[in-house]
Amino acid sequence: VGFKREIDEEFTEGLEEALILADVGLPTTQYLMEQLGQQIRARGVRTPAEALAYLKEEVASLLGREVSPLNWAPSPPTVILMVGVNGSGKTTSLGKLAFLLAREGKKVVVAAADTFRAAAIDQLEVWAQRSGAAFIRHQPGADPAAVAFDALQAAKSRGWDVVLVDTAGRLQTKVNLMEELKKIKRVLAKEQEGAPHEVLLVLDATTGQNALSQARLFKEAVEVTGIVLTKLDGTAKGGVVVAIARELELPVKFIGLGEGIEDLQPFYPRDFAEALFT
Amino acid sequence: LLSERIQGIFKKLRSKGRLTPEDVDGALKDIRVALLEADVNFRVVKDLVNRIRERAVGQEILESLTPAQQVVKIVHEELTRLMGGGERGINWAPQPPTVVMMVGLQGSGKTTTAAKLAALWKKQGKRPLLVAADVYRPAAVKQLQVLGEQIGVPVFSWESQDPVEICRRSLEQNLPFPPNPVIIDTAGRLHIDVPLMEELKAIKEEIQPQEILLVVDAMTGQDAVEVAQRFHADLGLTGVVLTKMDGDARGGAALSVLAVTGCPIKFMGTGEKIGNIEIFHPDRLASRILG
Ligand SMILES: Nc1nc2c(ncn2[C@@H]2O[C@H](COP(=O)(O)OP(=O)(O)OP(=O)(O)O)[C@@H](O)[C@H]2O)c(=O)[nH]1
Ligand SMILES: Nc1nc2c(ncn2[C@@H]2O[C@H](COP(=O)(O)OP(=O)(O)OP(=O)(O)O)[C@@H](O)[C@H]2O)c(=O)[nH]1
Ligand SMILES: [Mg+2]
Ligand SMILES: [Mg+2]
């Protein structure tokens, strides 16, 4: 895209194509191209290089420009709830986050509140062991809210710093499953002021425009406070988070870059904007 | 086949009587937007719309007394041509066992779908065997074992870090009643992970499967083309399974996968329960994509 000498139709169509291929979606792509068009007409942008730089800055600005840190509780424990659709990477991301926080010196407890899916508890237990976190579980089929409650109670009585709650994957359109999630949140809130302090929506970067529906409905149900964008080590760009930022102002807090325990990094809006166009 | 929205586009066309190329262009623009919003890949949409345009601005249309009908017919034909092709059934081996290999990206639904297929074929009187060849994901073998237990299907596993060895051993068993089909659950992997794609080729070489099914999440976006192309180039896919069709994703990825591989979509996952699997129906997907 950057080798053109002047801003012509072929160049702007190339920009549009890049954004759509990155899953930014039509409405947000059109919004960005209109903004660019205004700048070109006002002579603020005159060359292809300037146009590209302008778009990158617009995207970074929509994404909040700077890193978005975790919301810490005024007094421990901080409670973090992982939510999202099936297979997006919640359990793995939780394991990575537990490791990251433990390495910062925090005492972490992991709650196996996915009591539904085959071997979900076993899977999370491996991650808890790898990260050195404490692990709270009940039997498969138990009430997820009870597991979350137990973990929070344990953290409070033992002076632990963070409670990480894993939940079962669920499609956002399944009303009864969203009600189950609301109940988990209510139970946490009742047991601790301000809990959950962070509700992280785990989004798979290969997801298309349906991610917007996911963000809307999960936000509506359990007040999502941030996004973890996983599987960015693939070829998908995850551009839908730009549309999500524009519509819902949800910040991306972390990105998943692989299946290993260290493959979780903070989200840098400028780096992401840069990568959208490569 | 065509949904309300596309009906609306054509209603506008019909009201015009004779069509100019500009009228057709307007309709095609609307169709392009509908497909992109449904996550069909940008370039797949471009090719599809160009093919439709080439046919729609031909003499036959501009001379026709019912040009709008002709355009509708062409769009319908092009979409059905994309979706309808290919043998939808399983290629059963003349000599058992039939070997079915599940492949795809991380989290797409391979393990769950493997169990669903096993349950489906067991109901049809077959004697399936599930093979736990994912040696990487924590508790992956246990996940398949729990599912196998739920449906009364045996699960083969082996203490080994080599999936090729596990698959070979699963076929070497000397059982009184040989299993058929043998369903191999592989680890999720990226299409750009060369060593892991080589591993899949090695598994294929070892077990010579009749079916290699790419499991694709229905909510996949533009990347579906890249993924499908790589898996197909490396392995020679025989079919596709679209999972999580019980959500509200439009499923345009399916069209993209079809366009670049020509492989038939054989099954759809429609929920988390073992019974939630169906034979794929092209017309239902078409109306879902066109919104
Ligand atoms: N390449 C890559 N794979 C990932 C990443 N995050 C998770 N995965 C893989 O994605 C698959 C699904 O991850 P899980 O953590 O089980 O996802 P989940 O959301 O907990 O799934 P459910 O609980 O079944 O809804 C696993 O194979 C993970 O290893 C990532 O950042 N990159
Ligand atoms: N709602 C719904 N969920 C599904 C469907 N198919 C699979 N799932 C869920 O999607 C998640 C991932 O399924 P898995 O079978 O673990 O996916 P996988 O491809 O084996 O994952 P990896 O082995 O980590 O690559 C689980 O929570 C499944 O229950 C479906 O058709 N509908
Ligand atoms: Mg999980
Ligand atoms: Mg699996």
Side-chain angles (χ1 to χ4, degrees):
Chain A
V1 177
F3 295 125
K4 303 233 86 200
R5 296 265 245 88
E6 58 165 40
I7 297 175
D8 59 10
E9 189 165 332
E10 188 185 350
F11 175 70
T12 54
E13 282 184 358
L15 291 177
E16 211 168 23
E17 178 171 347
L19 288 170
I20 293 177
L21 283 175
D23 283 317
V24 170
L26 268 182
T28 300
T29 297
Q30 282 167 359
Y31 165 78
L32 288 169
M33 296 309 288
E34 276 163 18
Q35 296 293 103
L36 176 63
Q38 284 178 19
Q39 287 299 315
I40 293 172
R41 279 189 296 281
R43 315 284 294 156
V45 162
R46 294 164 189 237
T47 67
E50 284 177 2
L52 194 53
Y54 173 79
L55 276 184
K56 287 177 184 173
E57 185 51 33
E58 264 308 289
V59 169
S61 145
L62 279 174
L63 293 169
R65 285 211 179 88
E66 307 301 333
V67 172
S68 273
L70 280 173
N71 299 327
W72 289 99
S75 57
T78 293
V79 181
I80 301 177
L81 184 64
M82 312 292 285
V83 303
V85 302
N86 307 72
S88 62
K90 299 174 291 301
T91 304
T92 308
S93 300
L94 192 160
K96 295 171 182 176
L97 191 54
F99 178 73
L100 196 150
L101 294 173
R103 205 167 43 176
E104 286 177 6
K106 303 269 187 282
K107 286 267 179 291
V108 183
V109 59
V110 166
D114 177 356
T115 56
F116 169 74
R117 207 210 67 214
I121 297 171
D122 305 79
Q123 181 189 7
L124 187 63
E125 186 161 29
V126 173
W127 285 108
Q129 285 164 356
R130 286 176 181 175
S131 65
F135 186 63
I136 298 283
R137 56 162 296 171
H138 291 188
Q139 73 285 5
D143 177 11
V147 183
F149 177 84
D150 258 7
L152 179 47
Q153 251 201 347
K156 283 167 67 177
S157 67
R158 292 176 218 187
W160 290 337
D161 301 305
V162 189
V163 180
L164 294 174
V165 184
D166 190 20
T167 63
R170 68 205 67 219
L171 299 184
Q172 67 279 19
T173 45
K174 308 235 161 155
V175 179
N176 58 328
L177 297 182
M178 296 306 278
E179 284 304 311
E180 175 187 89
L181 204 53
K182 286 183 194 173
K183 179 177 171 211
I184 297 173
K185 180 169 188 269
R186 268 200 309 277
V187 161
L188 291 169
K190 219 158 148 256
E191 179 62 14
Q192 165 98 346
E193 176 84 54
H197 308 91
E198 192 75 59
V199 177
L200 295 177
L201 174 64
V202 182
L203 274 187
D204 186 330
T206 66
T207 306
Q209 296 309 298
N210 191 255
L212 258 169
S213 162
Q214 294 174 23
R216 281 183 203 126
L217 293 180
F218 273 96
K219 181 170 191 224
E220 194 178 313
V222 291
E223 293 174 65
V224 171
T225 55
I227 291 170
V228 178
L229 186 61
T230 63
K231 308 179 200 173
L232 267 180
D233 46 317
T235 49
K237 304 257 171 154
V240 66
V241 297
V242 183
I244 292 173
R246 192 166 77 98
E247 180 179 324
L248 303 168
E249 296 187 343
L250 276 179
V252 179
K253 301 211 170 183
F254 296 99
I255 56 176
L257 290 168
E259 303 188 71
I261 203 161
E262 304 207 33
D263 294 331
L264 188 77
Q265 288 184 13
F267 177 78
Y268 296 101
R270 288 211 171 80
D271 290 0
F272 183 81
E274 193 68 33
L276 270 191
F277 290 98
T278 17
Chain B
L1 172 71
L2 295 181
S3 63
E4 281 207 20
R5 171 167 183 174
I6 298 294
Q7 305 269 17
I9 294 174
F10 291 128
K11 196 151 172 239
K12 213 166 82 190
L13 265 190
R14 278 192 198 96
S15 68
K16 290 176 184 284
R18 298 229 111 134
L19 292 184
T20 65
E22 288 73 34
D23 292 329
V24 173
D25 258 4
L28 290 181
K29 200 152 172 276
D30 291 344
I31 289 171
R32 175 180 176 270
V33 168
L35 293 175
L36 283 176
E37 286 181 349
D39 284 327
V40 183
N41 181 271
F42 184 90
R43 289 172 186 144
V44 171
V45 173
K46 205 169 180 183
D47 291 343
L48 184 61
V49 169
N50 283 340
R51 264 207 311 284
I52 296 172
R53 173 180 292 112
E54 268 172 40
R55 291 185 57 192
V57 295
Q59 276 310 105
E60 45 163 324
I61 297 301
L62 300 177
E63 304 274 312
S64 164
L65 290 176
T66 57
Q69 302 285 49
Q70 286 289 81
V71 175
V72 173
K73 181 163 158 292
I74 289 169
V75 174
H76 189 149
E77 279 176 13
E78 286 298 323
L79 279 179
T80 314
R81 192 176 68 86
L82 251 190
M83 291 199 237
E87 177 46 53
R88 212 157 294 291
I90 288 291
N91 305 317
W92 296 108
Q95 281 282 74
T98 295
V99 181
V100 179
M101 205 171 141
M102 315 294 293
V103 303
L105 294 180
Q106 291 89 347
S108 55
K110 300 173 290 301
T111 305
T112 311
T113 304
K116 288 176 179 178
L117 287 174
L120 181 72
W121 289 326
K122 179 175 182 197
K123 255 214 236 104
Q124 293 174 359
K126 303 225 175 284
R127 208 172 30 245
L129 171 71
L130 286 163
V131 179
D134 179 353
V135 302
Y136 306 105
R137 170 172 155 152
V141 174
K142 174 116 199 254
Q143 183 185 6
L144 198 60
Q145 285 171 333
V146 170
L147 291 172
E149 212 163 300
Q150 282 177 12
I151 59 178
V153 167
V155 175
F156 181 88
S157 63
W158 190 262
E159 278 297 324
S160 163
Q161 281 306 304
D162 180 3
V164 181
E165 179 189 10
I166 295 170
C167 292
R168 187 182 63 246
R169 284 179 180 278
S170 76
L171 294 176
E172 278 173 356
Q173 299 179 94
N174 238 324
L175 300 170
F177 296 108
N180 182 42
V182 175
I183 306 162
I184 313 277
D185 180 26
T186 68
R189 68 203 65 213
L190 297 177
H191 48 302
I192 53 172
D193 187 325
V194 178
L196 283 185
M197 291 306 285
E198 287 303 310
E199 178 187 276
L200 277 185
K201 289 182 194 169
I203 295 175
K204 175 188 180 184
E205 188 66 20
E206 179 67 40
I207 64 180
Q208 305 281 326
Q210 279 70 32
E211 288 285 345
I212 303 182
L213 301 178
L214 179 68
V215 179
V216 176
D217 193 325
M219 63 184 89
T220 309
Q222 297 287 307
D223 200 43
V225 158
E226 200 57 34
V227 174
Q229 255 167 356
R230 291 289 192 113
F231 271 89
H232 193 43
D234 283 357
L235 300 171
L237 303 169
T238 60
V240 174
V241 179
L242 262 193
T243 60
K244 307 175 204 172
M245 287 288 275
D246 45 317
D248 63 350
R250 301 275 293 286
L255 213 59
S256 308
V257 169
L258 279 161
V260 301
T261 65
C263 290
I265 300 176
K266 303 207 170 186
F267 300 97
M268 301 194 305
T270 55
E272 294 192 66
K273 302 206 177 73
I274 286 289
N276 296 142
I277 184 159
E278 297 173 21
I279 307 277
F280 175 70
H281 284 297
D283 49 339
R284 284 169 56 189
L285 179 67
S287 45
R288 179 181 180 129
I289 287 177
L290 292 175

